[in-house]
Amino acid sequence: MDNNLRINKYLPIALLYFFFNSLFLPHGLLYTTLLTPLFILWLYRYRSYNYLWPFFIITVPFFIIHLLNGLNLLHYLKSYLLLFSVYVFAAAFYQFLINCRKPAELFKIILIFNIIMVGVALIARLIPSLESVFWYENPLTAGVQSFKRLKLLTYEPSYYSLLFVPIALYYYLKMLLFYTRDKLPALLIVTIPLLLSLSFGVIMGITLALCLVLLSDLKLFMLNKRLPKYMITIMLLLMLLLIIAILFFPNNILFLRVTNVFKGQDTSFKGRTFDSFYLGWEIASQKSVLFGAGPGQTKLLGLDLFRKFYNFTNFTEQNVGVPNSIGDLLATFGLVGVLLKLGLEGYLFIKTKVYENIYRLSLFLFVLIYQFTGSFITNIAEYVIWVMAFSPWLFTEFNKKILYKDQKNGDNQ
């Protein structure tokens, strides 16, 4: 009873983060940003408060260099404060995981609430005045003028699906490695929202992360005697669906987008990968390739660059941004910033022994890949995944030692 009460008291902030964080707010502003002072006061009671100081130790030298290279101080300070708010939220989330310890109950509540909201969103498709609240319409790829994608109450489908990643990976691994009842309903409840979001970067990232985790240790295939059968069944079903799609739906959206990706004609994929690195480099080079242009300067320095590069004059400072976490980091903090982030990821991977826990390893592999194909440096959904990946006490039932011990005792079957 005490554990349930301890977890449930965090339910409002969990629901706020997942479902309502940007509701009724201007684009780019989140309630978790506005709550930064409260998070700092809450952290003051814990040792995690001491983790706030490294932010200034790392960023102040960059500020001095950026100041010497020239900057727009107002834009810089606004973006700097936003970066700090993201850092504070990450520290608060880390402390939440320490206090909560067992977030599985929260995952279950969010999953159920999410599928209910998906049902509401499907009904909203029939009501023109409500449709745009839950669905995002944009040209998905070359040959598709517009398509509606699920975003629920967030501002964008890829952000919504990224929020869903820790829950999706948790349930996929539970279904693959453990004997659980009602696998099909759970599979549908987890998968349908991802498919409706049509966020190919997230879907491909989840698929790659799961495949890499399973291939990283072949003994995992022995944990659940049904796993090989599940894998073969999934492969056969995918082959069957592929054949049906080729024969009866040759011009479906999936085929069109995959074809466009390989042809280099998919503007979304190209924009989030190759274009982002090029634009990030060009923006940084206007000030310093080593240290970047600084927070808030991308919109100013990138406006003319974006207009020329995309041959599109309707760009404004508000919609200029490098849609790739590493590319954005390159533009803002240069090669030094990129190397610091990648180095820190590698250090924490070893320090927290991510490789010993299947779930945390899947999170790490996903976000390691995804940061090169999407996101941005102030995306709190990305940092939530990093924090979970580097939390050694999280979901210890996925620890390899426990999994293999349970296998010997026959508990996984």
Side-chain angles (χ1 to χ4, degrees):
M1 178 67 71
D2 291 339
N3 287 339
N4 288 334
L5 288 173
R6 183 158 53 89
I7 292 174
N8 287 340
K9 72 179 182 181
Y10 296 112
L11 182 59
I13 193 68
L15 294 176
L16 173 70
Y17 163 76
F18 196 91
F19 295 103
F20 309 108
N21 209 1
S22 59
L23 189 64
F24 305 128
L25 291 179
H27 181 76
L29 185 61
L30 303 173
Y31 287 109
T32 48
T33 304
L34 299 177
L35 290 173
T36 297
L38 293 180
F39 288 142
I40 293 174
L41 289 174
W42 182 69
L43 282 171
Y44 188 74
R45 300 181 298 169
Y46 303 102
R47 290 180 58 188
S48 298
Y49 180 79
N50 296 324
Y51 296 148
L52 299 183
W53 303 114
F55 175 84
F56 301 104
I57 295 172
I58 294 171
T59 58
V60 167
F62 278 97
F63 171 71
I64 295 172
I65 294 170
H66 294 152
L67 187 63
L68 293 174
N69 289 334
L71 53 82
N72 182 302
L73 188 59
L74 179 60
H75 280 72
Y76 194 102
L77 292 177
K78 286 169 60 178
S79 296
Y80 186 84
L81 289 174
L82 178 59
L83 272 173
F84 179 63
S85 74
V86 171
Y87 187 87
V88 170
F89 177 79
F93 182 71
Y94 178 79
Q95 185 61 50
F96 155 75
L97 290 179
I98 294 174
N99 292 3
C100 182
R101 291 285 178 167
K102 296 179 180 180
E105 290 86 352
L106 281 179
F107 276 15
K108 184 176 181 180
I109 294 171
I110 291 173
L111 188 65
I112 294 172
F113 193 85
N114 183 71
I115 201 63
I116 293 172
M117 292 292 289
V118 171
V120 173
L122 290 172
I123 295 173
R125 284 290 300 269
L126 307 174
I127 308 172
S129 60
L130 292 178
E131 190 176 37
S132 62
V133 176
F134 299 94
W135 299 87
Y136 184 87
E137 185 173 4
N138 69 322
L140 186 62
T141 188
V144 180
Q145 293 300 316
S146 64
F147 197 85
K148 291 181 174 62
R149 302 164 59 195
L150 181 67
K151 68 181 182 73
L152 283 193
L153 299 176
T154 65
Y155 57 84
E156 205 227 350
S158 61
Y159 180 77
Y160 162 69
S161 57
L162 188 62
L163 290 171
F164 202 62
V165 166
I167 297 173
L169 284 172
Y170 173 80
Y171 281 101
Y172 283 142
L173 287 172
K174 290 281 283 189
M175 287 183 275
L176 287 171
L177 300 179
F178 297 94
Y179 173 76
T180 56
R181 296 179 180 179
D182 303 321
K183 286 182 183 288
L184 182 58
L187 180 65
L188 293 175
I189 290 173
V190 174
T191 306
I192 287 174
L194 289 172
L195 293 178
L196 290 175
S197 75
L198 279 173
S199 179
F200 287 90
V202 170
I203 294 171
M204 289 175 62
I206 289 174
T207 304
L208 282 173
L210 290 173
C211 290
L212 290 172
V213 162
L214 292 174
L215 293 174
S216 69
D217 190 345
L218 296 180
K219 288 190 293 184
L220 292 172
F221 286 92
M222 304 302 295
L223 289 174
N224 188 339
K225 292 180 179 179
R226 295 178 175 85
L227 180 57
K229 184 175 72 173
Y230 293 152
M231 301 297 289
I232 294 172
T233 302
I234 290 171
M235 290 176 64
L236 290 174
L237 284 174
L238 289 175
M239 290 176 63
L240 178 61
L241 290 173
L242 183 63
I243 292 170
I244 293 172
I246 292 173
L247 292 176
F248 298 101
F249 308 100
N251 294 321
N252 68 82
I253 292 172
L254 178 61
F255 281 9
L256 282 173
R257 187 161 194 189
V258 171
T259 302
N260 288 335
V261 167
F262 282 106
K263 288 182 178 180
Q265 297 176 354
D266 186 85
T267 53
S268 177
F269 178 80
K270 187 170 178 288
R272 291 175 183 272
T273 52
F274 304 106
D275 292 354
S276 292
F277 296 120
Y278 170 78
L279 293 168
W281 179 275
E282 289 297 311
I283 291 169
S285 64
Q286 294 185 49
K287 293 295 182 178
S288 169
V289 170
L290 281 178
F291 300 101
Q297 310 307 294
T298 294
K299 295 182 180 299
L300 299 173
L301 299 176
L303 183 57
D304 289 337
L305 177 64
F306 272 64
R307 287 174 176 174
K308 292 177 182 177
F309 183 77
Y310 288 108
N311 193 26
F312 185 68
T313 58
N314 289 340
F315 273 112
T316 64
E317 287 185 7
Q318 284 67 39
N319 56 25
V320 167
V322 182
N324 171 303
S325 185
I326 294 296
D328 194 10
L329 187 63
L330 175 63
T332 307
F333 292 109
L335 291 173
V336 173
V338 172
L339 291 176
L340 278 174
K341 184 184 183 187
L342 295 178
L344 183 61
E345 291 166 7
Y347 169 76
L348 291 175
F349 177 84
I350 297 171
K351 173 74 173 179
T352 62
K353 299 180 179 180
V354 173
Y355 48 84
E356 293 185 350
N357 183 284
I358 300 303
Y359 175 68
R360 294 196 296 121
L361 180 59
S362 69
L363 289 174
F364 178 86
L365 290 171
F366 169 85
V367 73
L368 182 70
I369 296 167
Y370 191 76
Q371 67 181 342
F372 289 94
T373 62
S375 191
F376 45 94
I377 62 172
T378 56
N379 188 349
I380 62 171
E382 178 188 331
Y383 295 108
V384 161
I385 298 174
W386 283 121
V387 170
M388 294 181 74
F390 297 135
S391 299
W393 61 86
L394 192 65
F395 294 122
T396 54
E397 66 268 31
F398 288 102
N399 285 354
K400 289 184 179 180
K401 289 182 180 179
I402 295 176
L403 285 171
Y404 297 147
K405 181 180 178 181
D406 289 344
Q407 180 195 15
K408 291 180 181 180
N409 297 332
D411 293 343
N412 287 334
Q413 308 306 322

